[in-house]
Amino acid sequence: MEKQESKFRWVVFGTVLFAYFLIISQRTAPGLIPDKLMKEFDVSASMIGLLASVQFFAYAALQIPIGILSDRYGPNLFLILGTMISGLGTLLYSVSWNEYALLLARLLAGIGDAAIWINLVLILSQWFKVNEFVRLIGFAGIMGSLGFLLASVPFSAWIMMLGWRPPFFITGIIIFLCGILLYYVIAVQPKKFIKNYTVITPVGKKQNHEKTFDLLRRIFLDRKAWAAFLCHFGVVGTYVGFIGSWAVPYGMHVYEMTRSNASQLVMVGLIGAISGSLLISWVTNRLGTIRLPYVVMHLIMCLGWAAFPLFGGKPPVVLLFVLFFIIGFGNGANPLTFAFVRHAFPLKEVGVVSGFANTGGFISAILLPSIFGKIIDHFQSAGSQIGYHYGFMIPVIFSLFGLAGGLLIKEHRAENEKVHERKLQVTGKV
């Protein structure tokens, strides 16, 4: 039996997405407790920013290498290892005894997380037909937003009940056990009924068409690749970097909210992200273009971020929730980065270019928390609101890079491409 004809593919789909859902939650869950860490470990805001940044640094640094290795050896091994490493990182975080253990824990979590999305995409592309894959990859993106949602009000309530260590400890165990479950689901069980099924794909001559260095050099010099990089830099990094580190402290320090109420800001942003993902795919299909809706979404994000410093770092409460929804809504457009890559590059290069573009988003997510923290430390004596007022200039500037990337997008909207897309939807054939 072939993988794409097997009913077991839905077991694979559910297991992979459940692991992704939990791992995604751990990107932003530490953003719920920076004040607790500052008090317990006596660390500065800059160190809290570094804790957020180190995870994203590992993620960004490994995107292209993981993409190359997964293409060469197959995605199964790296997805299983990545899930287990992520679980170990979360476990270490829960039992950390000083700031260095916290840094190591977030580094491990970032290394594990780096192997998840690329290999999720590759595994779904192997187990599902084209017409199924296009629909399901969008669902995977929504599942990621739900993972972020888990790390808002529900995780915050859990922390309030038990303290911060037990929730991370239990989550780490579950994620590690997911790695074991993945091994059974995608490595052991399929061997019983899938012909020629292997966990590690042997390296064959067909994969050696172009040297890795030559391929990367060509991509790094390609304007289209940089357009994708900048788009993701502006739309993903500003949102993930802020939500994962300073959103909850901002609500608590500037608006004197409780931790639970401040985490509702994160939840509103995530609802916006889910709404944006659903709407932008519909609009893009209706218009038949990627550039226009992406430029509009980047512009919306720029204006949303700019409202914070315009109100001195403290917009009215009603407007505050609207702005978080707008920022999340803009982030919901991030799948357009990969839609553009798929249209602009040959299929054999999509994985590497997608890794390059994804790197842009997480370089932004590395820089933003750390710079934001340094600005808050600098203005600490003058009051927290002033620090946040100037800190919000960073996401404004970063989002302008994203807008520039959107403007760099060039499309060739030939009629035969539309016909080809219709054929894909009807027949599910490449």
Side-chain angles (χ1 to χ4, degrees):
M1 181 182 295
E2 296 295 331
K3 287 190 289 188
Q4 295 182 349
E5 301 293 335
S6 170
K7 292 181 180 180
F8 189 74
R9 71 190 190 279
W10 296 107
V11 177
V12 173
F13 177 70
T15 307
V16 170
L17 256 65
F18 180 66
Y20 178 61
F21 166 74
L22 290 177
I23 292 170
I24 273 287
S25 73
Q26 296 309 297
R27 286 185 189 173
T28 55
L32 298 172
I33 58 168
D35 58 316
K36 292 182 178 294
L37 298 181
M38 292 171 73
K39 182 178 180 180
E40 182 172 338
F41 296 100
D42 191 26
V43 295
S44 67
S46 297
M47 174 57 72
I48 296 299
L50 180 60
L51 284 173
S53 297
V54 71
Q55 179 180 359
F56 297 133
F57 176 80
Y59 187 102
L62 291 173
Q63 282 303 284
I64 295 175
I66 288 292
I68 294 172
L69 290 171
S70 297
D71 282 340
R72 185 165 297 176
Y73 297 105
N76 295 339
L77 174 65
F78 295 99
L79 183 67
I80 294 167
L81 289 177
T83 302
M84 290 183 170
I85 293 171
S86 183
L88 289 174
T90 304
L91 277 171
L92 177 59
Y93 193 76
S94 71
V95 299
S96 293
W97 52 93
N98 57 34
E99 62 268 32
Y100 302 108
L102 289 170
L103 280 171
L104 177 60
R106 299 321 294 164
L107 179 63
L108 287 174
I111 292 171
D113 191 7
I116 304 305
W117 177 255
I118 292 176
N119 291 294
L120 179 151
V121 171
L122 291 173
I123 285 174
L124 294 188
S125 67
Q126 291 177 355
W127 280 88
F128 292 90
K129 298 176 182 178
V130 174
N131 59 331
E132 293 176 320
F133 172 79
V134 173
R135 182 174 69 252
L136 295 178
I137 201 66
F139 186 77
I142 293 174
M143 200 68 174
S145 295
L146 292 176
F148 284 127
L149 191 61
L150 174 66
S152 57
V153 175
F155 211 84
S156 177
W158 198 8
I159 290 171
M160 290 181 67
M161 287 190 298
L162 301 179
W164 71 271
R165 291 183 183 270
F168 285 98
F169 183 82
I170 295 169
T171 304
I173 291 176
I174 296 173
I175 293 174
F176 186 82
L177 291 176
C178 277
I180 298 175
L181 178 62
L182 281 169
Y183 174 74
Y184 177 78
V185 170
I186 64 178
V188 176
Q189 193 66 17
K191 292 179 180 179
K192 298 179 181 179
F193 55 88
I194 302 297
K195 295 179 179 179
N196 301 321
Y197 189 86
T198 57
V199 180
I200 302 177
T201 303
V203 181
K205 294 181 179 179
K206 292 182 179 179
Q207 295 172 302
N208 298 325
H209 294 304
E210 184 176 8
K211 292 181 179 180
T212 301
F213 177 78
D214 293 336
L215 173 62
L216 293 178
R217 181 176 60 181
R218 181 161 52 78
I219 288 172
F220 290 158
L221 296 175
D222 194 312
R223 168 181 169 172
K224 300 189 298 296
W226 280 103
F229 179 96
L230 290 173
C231 281
H232 229 52
F233 182 94
V235 78
V236 173
T238 52
Y239 173 80
V240 173
F242 183 75
I243 289 291
S245 57
W246 293 110
V248 172
Y250 170 65
M252 294 173 67
H253 295 159
V254 177
Y255 292 88
E256 299 182 349
M257 295 179 176
T258 64
R259 185 179 308 279
S260 178
N261 289 337
S263 65
Q264 290 179 13
L265 294 172
V266 178
M267 185 175 68
V268 169
L270 293 169
I271 292 172
I274 294 170
S275 303
S277 295
L278 293 172
L279 181 63
I280 198 65
S281 59
W282 180 81
V283 170
T284 302
N285 288 332
R286 292 283 293 181
L287 296 179
T289 177
I290 296 171
R291 185 178 188 270
L292 178 59
Y294 214 1
V295 168
V296 170
M297 293 295 269
H298 276 295
L299 184 60
I300 290 172
M301 283 199 76
C302 285
L303 295 175
W305 283 117
F308 286 96
L310 286 176
F311 281 93
K314 190 178 181 180
V317 174
V318 174
L319 179 59
L320 175 69
F321 281 90
V322 173
L323 289 174
F324 267 81
F325 180 86
I326 288 173
I327 291 166
F329 187 84
N331 179 68
N334 77 81
L336 292 184
T337 299
F338 303 101
F340 167 63
V341 169
R342 183 170 182 180
H343 281 81
F345 291 87
L347 186 59
K348 64 181 180 180
E349 298 177 1
V350 166
V352 179
V353 180
S354 294
F356 179 63
N358 214 18
T359 301
F362 285 88
I363 286 178
S364 177
I366 291 167
L367 296 175
L368 189 142
S370 182
I371 298 174
F372 210 101
K374 288 184 180 297
I375 292 174
I376 290 176
D377 282 343
H378 180 75
F379 289 98
Q380 192 172 23
S381 59
S384 60
Q385 182 178 333
I386 295 177
Y388 281 102
H389 167 66
Y390 288 103
F392 278 117
M393 294 302 299
I394 305 304
V396 173
I397 294 170
F398 281 19
S399 61
L400 287 173
F401 281 101
L403 181 59
L407 294 172
L408 282 174
I409 290 176
K410 298 293 182 182
E411 294 178 304
H412 301 285
R413 298 172 59 193
E415 188 63 25
N416 61 339
E417 290 181 337
K418 295 181 180 179
V419 172
H420 180 62
E421 289 297 325
R422 294 193 193 103
K423 288 181 180 179
L424 287 178
Q425 294 174 0
V426 173
T427 66
K429 297 178 180 180
V430 177

